[in-house]
Amino acid sequence: MENVIIVLILVTIAALIISYLYRAKKRGQTCIGCPHSKQCSGRCGGCQGHSSES
């Protein structure tokens, strides 16, 4: 029974992650997790080209 609960928790976490990534891509973010994702060129290497970062 414990195994079933653990599997359900892991499946739920994976589904939440996938839905977050899907919604972020649908909003036009190219570098998910980057604070400048809507302005990125899509080759996010930390978005060094933005002047707002110090």
Side-chain angles (χ1 to χ4, degrees):
M1 186 64 179
E2 296 89 20
N3 290 339
V4 173
I5 294 171
I6 291 172
V7 168
L8 287 175
I9 291 171
L10 291 175
V11 168
T12 302
I13 291 170
L16 290 172
I17 291 170
I18 291 169
S19 68
Y20 170 77
L21 293 173
Y22 176 76
R23 284 183 282 136
K25 284 290 186 183
K26 196 167 186 150
R27 283 188 301 245
Q29 295 179 351
T30 55
C31 300
I32 299 171
C34 176
H36 306 287
S37 62
K38 287 193 176 185
Q39 293 87 22
C40 272
S41 63
R43 296 173 287 130
C44 189
C47 294
Q48 295 100 356
H50 294 285
S51 60
S52 64
E53 283 189 23
S54 299

